[in-house]
């Protein structure tokens, strides 16, 4: 574990994109252009090609005061959204962070986000590793979900 | 008639009979009668002007409950409604969009105006007191619940995700869910625009 944490730290210090492990990938990251003074939702697909469970424990970004993992559940016609501390991804599985399901919330935006901007997201995992991704901001029509 | 002319005529008939067949389309669900929910109400619009639903008689309406802090469902729904307008070639003048906030404490007039203008001009944003809001959403068979703790600013609101289609007489005629795409919404809504 200590070695993995050191490896994670090395990734962090060197800001290597998508890390030192080649078996966890983050693809198709994007941020829905938020209306003025509203929070933004961010989406991506995390693919775990390792033989172990991985756990996404957080996200950081310079563009927002707070960034959280949120899960949405549709129960009897009511959409319920809750902050969660982490989400696990089974070995060989992938997690789609998407509209109407688990996604990332960027709150307290420090500047307006407009289509064409890019947001750097730092995804943090339980083993101490991180993944840096550039998420383009785009207008999120229905077809983008 | 020569053999060649006969063949040409036959081909022409075949072509005409083929083109007369309707294009295969997804079946559009019929409009329904939701007698138990809906009805007129009074709230205040984003300009601070008292609003009566009755004022929209003669126009079909797409009505939705939400809140501007909502990062996902509400923007998606408003984007879908914008797409419905594009598909049908309608403006807010002949198909009204009404957004009722379930979070009037944070959704001030300015915030509602700024938020709704982002999705297009002419969207009617409505707010009321907590009691007025409860009355209207209850009338439409919807629910909401604030996930708010003392001092919390970034709270979320659980809320119904149905988009209500009201006809020209203010009657609820269809409930769209979050999974309904703009094409389906436009097809259903179009029945009101094409009708007598």
């Amino acid at each position: 574990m200590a070695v993995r944490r050191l490896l994670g730290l090395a990734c962090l210090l060197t800001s290597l994109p998508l890390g030192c492990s080649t078996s966890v990938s983050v693809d198709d990251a994007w941020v829905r252009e938020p209306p003025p003074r509203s929070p933004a939702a961010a989406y991506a697909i995390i693919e775990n090609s390792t033989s172990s469970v991985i756990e996404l424990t957080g996200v950081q970004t310079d563009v927002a005061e707070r960034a959280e993992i949120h899960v949405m559940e549709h129960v009897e016609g009511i959409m319920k959204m809750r902050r969660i501390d982490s989400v696990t991804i089974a070995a060989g599985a992938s997690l789609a962070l998407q509209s109407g399901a688990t996604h990332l919330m960027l709150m307290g935006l420090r500047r307006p986000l407009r289509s064409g901007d890019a947001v750097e997201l730092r995804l943090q995992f339980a083993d101490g590793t991180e993944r840096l991704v550039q998420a383009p901001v785009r207008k999120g029509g229905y077809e983008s979900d | 008639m020569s053999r060649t002319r006969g063949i040409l005529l036959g081909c022409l008939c075949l072509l005409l009979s083929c083109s007369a067949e309707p294009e295969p389309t997804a079946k559009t669900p019929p409009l329904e009668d939701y007698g138990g929910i809906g009805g007129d109400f009074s709230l205040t619009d984003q300009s601070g002007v008292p609003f009566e639903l009755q004022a929209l008689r003669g126009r079909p309406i797409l009505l939705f409950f939400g809140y501007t802090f909502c990062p996902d469902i509400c923007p998606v729904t408003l984007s879908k409604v914008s797409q419905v307008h594009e598909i049908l070639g309608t403006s807010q003048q002949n198909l009204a969009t009404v957004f009722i906030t379930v979070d009037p404490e944070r959704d001030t007039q300015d915030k509602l105006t700024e938020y709704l203008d982002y999705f297009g001009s002419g969207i009617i944003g409505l707010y009321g007191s907590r009691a007025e809001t409860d009355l209207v959403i209850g009338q439409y068979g919807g629910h909401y619940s604030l996930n708010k703790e003392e001092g919390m600013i970034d709270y979320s609101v659980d809320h119904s995700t149905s988009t209500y289609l009201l006809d020209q007489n203010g009657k609820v005629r269809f409930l769209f869910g979050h999974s309904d795409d703009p094409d389906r919404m436009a097809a259903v809504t179009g029945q009101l625009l094409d009708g007598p």
Side-chain angles (χ1 to χ4, degrees):
Chain A
M1 178 59 82
V3 173
R4 296 180 76 182
R5 284 189 181 282
L6 277 174
L7 200 57
L9 184 61
C11 288
L12 175 63
L13 291 175
T14 57
S15 294
L16 287 175
L18 298 183
C20 301
S21 166
T22 56
S23 48
V24 174
S25 61
V26 181
D27 298 309
D28 300 330
W30 68 284
V31 174
R32 181 188 301 283
E33 182 186 282
R37 292 193 289 157
S38 291
Y43 311 102
I45 297 171
I46 304 173
E47 188 164 348
N48 176 16
S49 301
T50 72
S51 55
S52 311
V53 173
I54 61 169
E55 185 178 7
L56 176 69
T57 54
V59 58
Q60 287 188 337
T61 177
D62 290 340
V63 303
E65 290 173 11
R66 295 169 302 288
E68 298 175 348
I69 308 167
H70 281 221
V71 64
M72 303 187 80
E73 287 181 300
H74 203 230
V75 182
E76 296 177 350
I78 310 285
M79 190 58 87
K80 297 172 180 286
M81 185 169 74
R82 296 283 181 277
R83 186 183 74 80
I84 54 174
D85 292 330
S86 68
V87 57
T88 57
I89 307 165
S94 62
L95 170 69
L97 298 167
Q98 62 184 354
S99 175
T102 305
H103 62 274
L104 306 175
M105 271 275 277
L106 315 182
M107 297 176 291
L109 294 177
R110 295 192 170 102
R111 60 179 172 84
L113 299 181
R114 290 289 170 262
S115 187
D117 293 349
V119 171
E120 188 175 85
L121 300 174
R122 188 182 296 274
L123 275 57
Q124 302 166 315
F125 293 87
D127 64 1
T129 61
E130 297 188 338
R131 296 290 183 279
L132 278 177
V133 293
Q134 296 293 324
V137 179
R138 62 175 193 246
K139 281 185 181 287
Y142 180 76
E143 71 286 351
S144 301
D145 298 326
Chain B
M1 181 184 295
S2 72
R3 181 183 168 84
T4 307
R5 286 180 66 188
I7 290 171
L8 283 174
L9 193 60
C11 288
L12 184 61
C13 287
L14 186 64
L15 194 64
L16 286 173
S17 68
C18 285
S19 63
E21 288 292 319
E23 290 293 323
T25 54
K27 184 170 168 55
T28 303
L31 298 172
E32 297 179 31
D33 183 11
Y34 297 83
I37 60 169
D40 288 332
F41 56 80
S42 305
L43 288 169
T44 304
D45 75 15
Q46 70 264 54
S47 302
V49 176
F51 172 90
E52 302 277 345
L53 187 70
Q54 274 183 309
L56 298 182
R57 284 291 186 277
R59 293 158 67 183
I61 304 164
L62 288 167
L63 182 148
F64 174 65
F65 295 93
Y67 64 113
T68 70
F69 193 80
C70 171
D72 189 81
I73 298 299
C74 305
V76 169
T77 301
L78 286 164
S79 295
K80 285 198 294 186
V81 170
S82 295
Q83 286 178 265
V84 169
H85 277 286
E86 284 173 22
I87 294 166
L88 293 173
T90 48
S91 70
Q92 296 290 337
Q93 296 309 310
N94 46 17
L95 173 62
T97 307
V98 173
F99 176 93
I100 302 175
T101 179
V102 292
D103 188 20
E105 285 81 8
R106 284 187 298 188
D107 288 345
T108 59
Q109 286 177 27
D110 285 350
K111 186 76 169 72
L112 269 176
T113 301
E114 197 174 30
Y115 183 83
L116 295 175
D117 282 353
Y118 174 82
F119 294 97
S121 60
I123 300 174
I124 299 166
L126 300 177
Y127 68 94
S129 65
R130 183 57 61 197
E132 289 169 333
T133 306
D134 290 352
L135 189 66
V136 175
I137 197 166
Q139 198 174 317
Y140 278 77
H143 301 277
Y144 74 96
S145 165
L146 306 179
N147 299 308
K148 188 178 182 183
E149 293 168 15
E150 184 95 16
M152 187 188 281
I153 300 170
D154 293 337
Y155 58 88
S156 64
V157 184
D158 299 339
H159 64 95
S160 305
T161 55
S162 293
T163 300
Y164 301 80
L165 174 64
L166 277 57
D167 68 16
Q168 288 86 337
N169 297 311
K171 304 290 184 195
V172 177
R173 300 300 304 279
F174 207 85
L175 299 185
F176 297 109
H178 182 61
S179 60
D180 284 321
D181 63 37
D183 288 331
R184 185 171 192 266
M185 293 174 73
V188 174
T189 304
Q191 296 176 87
L192 282 177
L193 300 172
D194 296 334

